[in-house]
Amino acid sequence: MTRRHVRVVGAMLQNEMGRYLITQRPPTASLPLLWEFPGGRVEEGEHDTAALARELHEEMGVRIEVLEQVMHTHHEYPTYDIDFRVFRCRLSNPDAEIHHLRVHDHRWVALEEMGQYRFPDADAKTLARLLDLDH
């Protein structure tokens, strides 16, 4: 049986106070109620940056500017593999209200507070790199 490979993009959005945006997965999603960097799957033929902008608009009703890729990791779950790329982003309108269209909740969190939230394994790897804990 061939393993499924899923390409996923995530946004590293930081506000003016140095806090990062994390979102909580819906209760009906896979890996329910875990926290993650906002983003989602890249559709067939879609560019990573276009997918990221689309996902954040669909999930929270916000427009973003996608900047440079800052991290790339690969993670093997029991039944599929994730190719996860994280991009530094900024809100097109810093005062934009975040709506919970396809997320359960959101938080602006300081790096030292991230350990209080449970993340999926692929996000946890990225978080470890962000915190420089993987060395």
Side-chain angles (χ1 to χ4, degrees):
M1 186 169 106
T2 305
R3 288 182 62 80
R4 192 165 51 114
H5 296 276
V6 181
R7 188 169 178 119
V8 176
V9 288
M12 192 166 71
L13 273 163
Q14 192 174 18
N15 67 13
E16 65 281 349
M17 297 180 342
R19 300 171 88 73
Y20 292 90
L21 180 66
I22 59 172
T23 55
Q24 189 177 38
R25 297 175 65 84
T28 55
S30 61
L31 308 172
L33 300 177
L34 295 184
W35 292 86
E36 63 187 356
F37 295 106
R41 291 184 187 189
V42 178
E43 304 282 334
E44 184 72 32
E46 190 176 33
H47 191 274
D48 290 349
T49 57
L52 190 52
R54 175 187 52 76
E55 284 285 343
L56 268 71
H57 188 256
E58 289 175 357
E59 292 179 353
M60 298 177 291
V62 297
R63 302 267 182 213
I64 61 166
E65 297 172 46
V66 181
L67 307 172
E68 74 277 5
Q69 181 178 312
V70 292
M71 290 176 225
H72 178 220
T73 190
H74 181 82
H75 185 78
E76 295 179 7
Y77 284 101
T79 58
Y80 59 95
D81 297 335
I82 293 283
D83 176 4
F84 186 45
R85 295 164 194 263
V86 178
F87 293 82
R88 187 177 318 280
C89 300
R90 71 173 153 244
L91 292 171
S92 296
N93 175 2
D95 298 322
E97 185 177 344
I98 294 173
H99 301 278
H100 299 159
L101 304 174
R102 288 183 20 203
V103 298
H104 187 67
D105 202 357
H106 81 278
R107 299 275 190 280
W108 289 97
V109 180
L111 283 180
E112 58 272 10
E113 298 169 337
M114 294 274 188
Q116 299 170 25
Y117 297 87
R118 187 151 174 255
F119 287 83
D121 292 341
D123 282 72
K125 279 183 176 180
T126 302
L127 183 58
R129 285 192 184 158
L130 185 61
L131 293 169
D132 201 26
L133 298 178
D134 65 336
H135 295 289

